[in-house]
Amino acid sequence: MSKRILVVEDQEDNRQIVRDLLTAKGFELYEAVTGEEGVAFAKRERPDLILMDIQLPGIDGYEATRRIKADPELWHIPIIVVTSYALSGDDQKAFAAGCDGYVTKPFSPRLLLAKIREYLPK
């Protein structure tokens, strides 16, 4: 059974890049465009891992991460932030919100896959 990954990203181009990369590697991919959709999808489908953008319409990725990690049935799902927020301290804000990993855009496909495999070993 392939691992299921939820991508919470509002930019279609970015979702397409991740979709092409991860489906080619055998992952089952689901997509949400807003933070609210991401939280609702996580509650409904319980993916194996979440890739979370920070700058989203509605609630941002920090708040979506906090809501997922506060849920006793979802807290264990690894969340990797994939963001263009790359200033000093941005990673600490993401970790403080509860994310498990942090990748900045533009990302290397090899780096993103390596980070995903840290949390989803075969």
Side-chain angles (χ1 to χ4, degrees):
M1 184 169 151
S2 61
K3 298 290 186 176
R4 301 176 320 134
I5 297 176
L6 169 63
V7 177
V8 185
E9 167 64 61
D10 63 326
Q11 298 296 314
E12 170 59 26
D13 291 346
N14 292 337
R15 288 196 313 274
Q16 181 68 51
I17 291 168
V18 172
R19 183 183 315 127
D20 291 347
L21 174 67
L22 298 183
T23 56
K25 296 296 182 184
F27 292 103
E28 193 173 335
L29 203 69
Y30 299 95
E31 299 175 17
V33 176
T34 68
E36 289 90 345
E37 287 177 8
V39 173
F41 188 91
K43 287 181 179 179
R44 188 177 61 246
E45 300 295 331
R46 302 193 184 176
D48 297 302
L49 183 138
I50 298 170
L51 298 177
M52 180 74 72
D53 188 17
I54 293 299
Q55 191 171 1
L56 296 167
I59 64 170
D60 63 20
Y62 297 126
E63 181 58 27
T65 297
R66 280 191 283 273
R67 290 183 186 186
I68 291 168
K69 291 297 189 177
D71 188 316
E73 296 184 3
L74 304 177
W75 70 268
H76 66 282
I77 300 173
I79 298 176
I80 299 172
V81 166
V82 182
T83 182
S84 57
Y85 286 10
L87 297 176
S88 176
D90 284 340
D91 57 342
Q92 294 307 310
K93 287 172 60 177
F95 290 122
C99 81
D100 300 284
Y102 183 86
V103 174
T104 57
K105 299 175 189 172
F107 57 82
S108 145
R110 187 170 21 158
L111 174 70
L112 183 60
L113 285 170
K115 187 62 76 177
I116 289 169
R117 287 186 175 126
E118 274 183 52
Y119 297 98
L120 293 179
K122 291 183 179 181

